[in-house]
Amino acid sequence: MGCKTSVPCNATKKSERCKCLLRAALLIQRWYRATMARIEMRRRYCLNIFQSIEYADEQAQLQLSNFFTFMMDHDLEMTESNFSLAEFERRIDVPDSYYGPRLKFPLTVADANALLDAFKKEELLHARYVLQLLHETRRVLKEMPNITYLSTSYSKEITVCGDLHGKLDDLLMIFYKNGLPSEKNPYVFNGDFVDRGDNSMEILIILFAFLLIYPNDLHLNRGNHEDYIMNDLPKIGSDFKKFILQVHGKVILYLLEDVFSWLPLATVVDSKVLILHGGISDTTDLDFLNLFERSKVREHVHVGLLLSSLKNLAAVGPHEEDSSRDPTQKEWQQTLDILWSDPRNQRGCIPNKLRGGGCYFGPDITAKLFERYNLKMLIRSHECKQDGYEIGHGGKVITIFSASNYYEDGSNRGAYIKLNPDLIPRFIQYQVTFHSAHSPPRINTVEGAALKALREKIYANKTELMEAFMSKDLTGAGKLSVSDWAEAMESVLQLELPWRTLRAQLARLSADGRIEYTSCFYDLEIEKPVEEPSLVETLCKYRKDLEMIFNFIDKDQSGLISLEEFHHTWRLFCAHMGVETDDEAIIKLANTIDYNKDGYIDFSEFLGAFHVVHRLDKGK
Amino acid sequence: ENEKTDSEYNTVAEIEKKITEAFEVFDHECNQTVDVREIGSIVRSLGCYPTEAQLHELLAEVEEEEPTGYIHLQKFLPVMTRVLVERSYQPTPEDVLLHAFEALDVNKCGYLTKEELVKYMTEEGEPFTQEEMEDMLSAALDPETNTMRYKDYITLMIVDDV
């Protein structure tokens, strides 16, 4: 291919030179496109990995929320959560040593700015103000209809934001680029403000504060995550903070769940643009949705199944509630549909099995709804999109997602929509980045994180996977064909991932081209090896969940629970989750962890031991 | 991957499964179809280096009689299997790629200016789209000198491609 002439071109050489350049350019373009395609493929399957694990976890977490509710002492929280502003003031003291924002109700822009400043500096808001804020927010939300009708009159542009998922940096980025909410700058936040990110509480506090200041210009739609709070109590730092939040944590939790249940379900702009979190189904009835008491729908999927299983477990039933407070089947179904559904290109409407709630709706379903209600556009969120937004159904359905780097640094951009009075959407994209501005985040970083998450899942399912492997390994050689290995992986993990494509990152090939299946577990180990391997796996799988539960039952917030409490809770948990438990093994385990032998376990230390360590990480 | 076991274990069945998997990564609806615009990515991610012209030929084979904008796995699978079995569209060795850049580097300075790169990539061969050009520039160009040191760039891309 050499064309290394240093002699200046003359006429005859020129045409040769041109051909040479053409070939060179072609070669480079061919190579470039192939390379970029492979990177794109990796980006896609990384997103697949993240998404599959996320949805699987979400389903598991839904089960957990009911367990949580069952554990709560409803009566106490209910009383406390109904205190007035003045009573909160009286009962909860804010010490002089507290330097954070001190809110005065009714809130003003000065309060909102104080909150933004405080959160930028990673300060927390005192529990009394949190409670008062929530109290006021609930009061204001209760007066709002299920569906809010807005207009872009006075040439106002309305900004629509999607999922934030506790990522404060993205909210701050939006405010930076687009300005703070005000009468001249209305916003719609389309649900999923919380969970996964680190700053769910901060985001809620900011959004609720602006809601109180500009109730006609700051609109919140409920998302499927505004239903139960799993990760929301902010990170506890010093003892002081621990005191503030843990002591009042339960009441905050209870009040917050109430506030969530009062979030409106949808917003309609100029009677033409429908904005809601998930999607629609073939039975979505906006008139019905606008009329029923929305706060009745509190726990979404699996309600029926789990409530009945709880009845078998519960010695004490805190849910001695009036059944007229329960939603009807239709109310439950209609809400579920709009909070959980996803659009797809195929016609029709089928149950959304990936999510476990809502449905997949096709362009014909959209068209029918539009015809029935004279709509022009549907703006929804709920799904992470690489570019922060996606347009589907021939321009009729827009997905808007505002949490950039959702799965990992570099996984995706965030975006928001500017809707002008012509109802033509403009998309503004952004990506919060901690790297230098020049280089886009490398695919290797995203892939590394995706594979790490996947490997942890593999570890947590080791027993089942080994059973599946061995059942296919008829000769006991310790090896399987790629095909058999892939089948086994999918049958146990059920993540619908491209196993052959991922193979090189997950397992070793032997010389004969077959997979040594135990190599799947090579690079992973538990920090503190323990005798009971299957028990360890279970603890590994549910580590985060157990941490939350233990935090919850730790009544005096000492970080310690008695062996008895530990044992009791563990048994209940296993029964609830349908996990087989060996009582003796657990007691034995707990005893080894009770270092002081005083009958108490430091549960953080206990659970910390079941963190999966990636051998390759050591020495980093 | 172990080269010498290729013939033994890369049976047609395995190849077909590999193709199906790659296809499914882009099959958002899980209904055995992909957007026609993704076919290039799928073919290339399976290790092939077709030119755009070759890709169009391939597309003509897998499209429906009346193009719908979607390609069915049913049609794609046999065609792609043949491509892989026959090892069509082989990759470019690293040194050949380097020579190609050197051919464009008229002054033999070891780098291409932004203008040169844009000119060649958007005017010669199978021209880049504006998006492709911008993407390449953002990764390849040293913002201080506005030049592309192509040897470094190749190394960078190959690291990413592992």
Side-chain angles (χ1 to χ4, degrees):
Chain A
M1 173 82 237
C3 217
K4 298 174 188 169
T5 162
S6 53
V7 176
C9 295
N10 59 33
T12 46
K13 277 226 159 98
K14 202 170 183 190
S15 68
E16 256 187 56
R17 175 114 184 99
C18 281
K19 271 196 225 155
C20 186
L21 286 176
L22 175 74
R23 281 206 301 274
L26 195 56
L27 202 127
I28 294 170
Q29 288 154 346
R30 196 163 68 104
W31 162 82
Y32 181 78
R33 286 172 170 137
T35 307
M36 294 310 281
R38 276 196 300 285
I39 292 181
E40 177 62 23
M41 162 67 109
R42 283 160 69 200
R43 211 186 294 281
R44 292 286 175 117
Y45 70 59
C46 283
L47 268 169
N48 279 7
I49 292 174
F50 282 129
Q51 216 165 51
S52 296
I53 294 181
E54 177 188 21
Y55 296 165
D57 279 352
E58 248 176 30
Q59 288 206 36
Q61 284 210 332
L62 280 168
Q63 295 210 328
L64 195 64
S65 82
N66 281 288
F67 183 75
F68 231 8
T69 313
F70 157 71
M71 303 274 315
M72 281 211 295
D73 179 358
H74 270 214
D75 297 329
L76 178 63
E77 271 90 38
M78 202 154 26
T79 318
E80 282 190 32
S81 73
N82 285 326
F83 289 156
S84 67
L85 279 185
E87 275 176 303
F88 281 128
E89 181 127 2
R90 212 166 38 83
R91 286 164 178 270
I92 302 175
D93 178 48
V94 180
D96 290 336
S97 51
Y98 169 76
Y99 283 112
R102 290 170 184 263
L103 303 180
K104 280 201 154 30
F105 294 87
L107 295 183
T108 62
V109 175
D111 292 302
N113 283 319
L115 288 168
L116 284 166
D117 282 337
F119 293 153
K120 281 178 195 164
K121 290 187 274 189
E122 298 185 10
E123 289 167 9
L124 295 175
L125 182 66
H126 195 283
R128 182 221 277 177
Y129 300 121
V130 175
L131 287 164
Q132 288 179 321
L133 178 72
L134 292 177
H135 178 276
E136 283 301 285
T137 305
R138 178 174 60 180
R139 183 180 62 78
V140 168
L141 286 177
K142 266 183 172 175
E143 287 161 26
M144 292 180 177
N146 297 355
I147 302 182
T148 309
Y149 288 84
L150 302 178
S151 86
T152 56
S153 56
Y154 311 114
S155 304
K156 269 194 289 202
E157 274 194 322
I158 296 183
T159 307
V160 184
C161 301
D163 295 25
L164 285 169
H165 278 299
K167 298 186 136 249
L168 182 60
D169 286 329
D170 287 277
L171 182 60
L172 295 175
M173 171 73 87
I174 295 172
F175 285 165
Y176 175 74
K177 287 172 88 80
N178 198 52
L180 296 179
S182 71
E183 303 101 337
K184 299 201 190 71
N185 196 11
Y187 275 85
V188 176
F189 285 91
N190 204 14
D192 277 9
F193 322 120
V194 301
D195 276 353
R196 290 191 66 101
D198 290 338
N199 306 107
S200 294
M201 273 310 274
E202 287 90 328
I203 290 194
L204 288 176
I205 291 169
I206 293 172
L207 292 180
F208 292 161
F210 277 112
L211 175 77
L212 294 178
I213 302 168
Y214 301 110
N216 298 318
D217 303 292
L218 190 299
H219 305 277
L220 303 174
N221 288 338
R222 190 173 180 183
N224 60 300
H225 279 250
E226 277 78 49
D227 182 16
Y228 57 88
I229 312 140
M230 295 280 93
N231 307 313
D232 283 0
L233 294 180
K235 298 251 154 57
I236 310 300
S238 69
D239 287 337
F240 183 59
K241 288 178 192 168
K242 192 172 179 155
F243 166 79
I244 288 176
L245 285 147
Q246 290 280 46
V247 167
H248 302 285
K250 284 188 201 158
V251 184
I252 290 178
L253 204 76
Y254 191 85
L255 190 41
L256 198 43
E257 284 192 356
D258 211 17
V259 169
F260 282 168
S261 75
W262 280 109
L263 285 168
L265 299 174
T267 308
V268 178
V269 178
D270 292 348
S271 304
K272 289 253 162 281
V273 179
L274 175 62
I275 309 175
L276 42 77
H277 179 71
I280 56 174
S281 76
D282 53 354
T283 54
T284 294
D285 182 342
L286 293 180
D287 302 311
F288 175 83
L289 277 167
N290 209 8
L291 287 176
F292 77 102
E293 194 189 312
R294 64 182 185 270
S295 74
K296 286 199 286 182
V297 185
R298 282 168 183 258
E299 294 132 20
H300 286 165
V301 191
H302 308 152
V303 164
L305 290 165
L306 287 164
L307 278 181
S308 61
S309 73
L310 273 178
K311 287 197 183 108
N312 297 336
L313 271 187
V316 173
H319 270 289
E320 303 295 355
E321 281 171 20
D322 182 9
S323 64
S324 70
R325 295 289 310 153
D326 289 340
T328 64
Q329 173 71 12
K330 185 171 180 183
E331 288 167 348
W332 177 71
Q333 188 69 54
Q334 290 272 329
T335 312
L336 209 64
D337 284 344
I338 63 171
L339 296 189
W340 285 80
S341 300
D342 293 312
R344 53 175 211 150
N345 288 332
Q346 262 196 331
R347 299 170 63 83
C349 187
I350 60 171
N352 193 324
K353 80 163 190 332
L354 202 63
R355 302 268 198 178
C359 66
Y360 287 121
F361 62 99
D364 52 327
I365 306 296
T366 305
K368 255 194 248 153
L369 189 94
F370 281 21
E371 203 191 302
R372 183 170 171 193
Y373 295 107
N374 210 356
L375 297 168
K376 194 181 112 130
M377 199 174 7
L378 169 65
I379 299 179
R380 44 87 64 177
S381 303
H382 197 40
E383 285 181 293
C384 177
K385 296 294 176 188
Q386 206 163 306
D387 293 316
Y389 73 95
E390 193 174 87
I391 305 178
H393 291 195
K396 296 208 180 83
V397 175
I398 298 178
T399 303
I400 187 75
F401 193 85
S402 300
S404 68
N405 306 324
Y406 177 51
Y407 292 119
E408 176 55 51
D409 248 7
S411 64
N412 65 290
R413 288 197 263 188
Y416 56 88
I417 300 175
K418 303 283 296 181
L419 207 55
N420 62 16
D422 288 334
L423 300 181
I424 298 177
R426 246 189 331 127
F427 300 95
I428 317 290
Q429 296 164 299
Y430 53 86
Q431 192 157 14
V432 171
T433 176
F434 307 98
H435 303 294
S436 84
H438 308 312
S439 51
R442 307 242 64 98
I443 179 66
N444 291 334
T445 314
V446 181
E447 197 172 22
L451 289 170
K452 195 167 184 176
L454 184 55
R455 288 194 192 109
E456 287 192 7
K457 258 237 141 30
I458 289 173
Y459 187 92
N461 288 282
K462 185 171 173 180
T463 308
E464 273 190 69
L465 280 168
M466 281 303 288
E467 269 174 31
F469 291 151
M470 292 197 290
S471 73
K472 290 183 183 282
D473 179 13
L474 301 167
T475 60
K479 303 183 203 168
L480 287 178
S481 69
V482 177
S483 215
D484 283 339
W485 175 80
E487 261 178 52
M489 292 295 277
E490 182 57 33
S491 74
V492 172
L493 297 174
Q494 305 209 343
L495 293 170
E496 296 188 348
L497 293 174
W499 297 109
R500 283 167 188 79
T501 316
L502 295 169
R503 200 271 322 147
Q505 316 266 25
L506 297 177
R508 282 175 224 184
L509 281 180
S510 65
D512 62 0
R514 290 192 291 167
I515 295 180
E516 293 168 8
Y517 49 79
T518 50
S519 67
C520 291
F521 312 106
Y522 277 178
D523 295 321
L524 309 169
E525 65 181 11
I526 288 296
E527 228 174 294
K528 288 199 181 119
V530 158
E531 277 160 40
E532 306 287 339
S534 64
L535 178 62
V536 168
E537 266 173 57
T538 310
L539 283 165
C540 212
K541 215 186 230 175
Y542 298 111
R543 188 176 59 88
K544 280 202 194 133
D545 305 325
L546 287 170
E547 191 166 19
M548 279 184 268
I549 292 176
F550 288 138
N551 256 312
F552 211 69
I553 65 175
D554 177 14
K555 294 192 172 56
D556 57 5
Q557 311 305 320
S558 56
L560 304 171
I561 53 173
S562 71
L563 282 172
E564 211 190 292
E565 275 179 316
F566 171 74
H567 191 215
H568 176 69
T569 310
W570 172 254
R571 270 183 56 230
L572 274 178
F573 178 74
C574 286
H576 183 82
M577 300 296 274
V579 174
E580 265 184 48
T581 169
D582 182 347
D583 263 7
E584 252 190 71
I586 261 287
I587 296 175
K588 210 164 144 198
L589 192 60
N591 276 320
T592 47
I593 305 287
D594 176 14
Y595 298 118
N596 300 334
K597 301 287 170 247
D598 60 356
Y600 280 87
I601 302 175
D602 180 334
F603 57 79
S604 304
E605 207 177 317
F606 174 72
L607 290 174
F610 299 100
H611 180 72
V612 175
V613 174
H614 298 252
R615 265 196 221 151
L616 298 176
D617 275 356
K618 285 191 176 160
K620 265 203 185 164
Chain B
E1 301 259 11
N2 210 324
E3 291 287 22
K4 59 183 178 205
T5 65
D6 251 34
S7 48
E8 274 190 74
Y9 285 93
N10 274 353
T11 60
V12 170
E14 249 321 285
I15 291 180
E16 285 187 346
K17 291 219 179 102
K18 217 170 159 190
I19 296 171
T20 307
E21 252 190 17
F23 191 89
E24 282 173 353
V25 173
F26 291 86
D27 175 13
H28 304 292
E29 316 278 299
C30 306
N31 61 354
Q32 317 267 289
T33 65
V34 301
D35 192 316
V36 65
R37 292 164 290 184
E38 314 263 45
I39 291 292
S41 301
I42 300 175
V43 172
R44 288 170 170 133
S45 74
L46 286 162
C48 301
Y49 286 70
T51 61
E52 293 290 288
Q54 287 166 332
L55 208 53
H56 282 133
E57 276 171 30
L58 196 144
L59 265 172
E61 281 188 74
V62 298
E63 258 176 341
E64 305 290 326
E65 299 269 314
E66 304 264 348
T68 59
Y70 289 96
I71 305 296
H72 275 279
L73 179 61
Q74 245 179 337
K75 285 203 131 182
F76 182 71
L77 193 57
V79 174
M80 195 64 217
T81 307
R82 191 196 72 223
V83 165
L84 286 184
V85 167
E86 291 177 1
R87 294 169 190 258
S88 322
Y89 317 138
Q90 283 297 285
T92 322
E94 204 177 313
D95 55 341
V96 175
L97 183 62
L98 185 58
H99 288 159
F101 275 106
E102 284 169 351
L104 301 182
D105 180 8
V106 184
N107 301 316
K108 307 298 158 216
C109 19
Y111 60 83
L112 292 172
T113 66
K114 180 181 175 182
E115 290 69 34
E116 280 178 315
L117 189 60
V118 172
K119 174 164 166 274
Y120 292 128
M121 291 296 105
T122 59
E123 291 177 22
E124 301 281 355
E126 289 175 330
F128 274 175
T129 62
Q130 189 177 354
E131 206 188 323
E132 283 177 313
M133 194 68 249
E134 276 169 18
D135 279 343
M136 183 187 241
L137 287 174
S138 74
L141 224 51
D142 174 1
E144 280 166 38
T145 57
N146 254 2
T147 62
M148 175 217 243
R149 300 205 72 84
Y150 43 83
K151 209 164 180 190
D152 294 338
Y153 177 63
I154 294 174
T155 315
L156 187 74
M157 291 300 271
I158 290 187
V159 164
D160 254 0
D161 199 19
V162 162

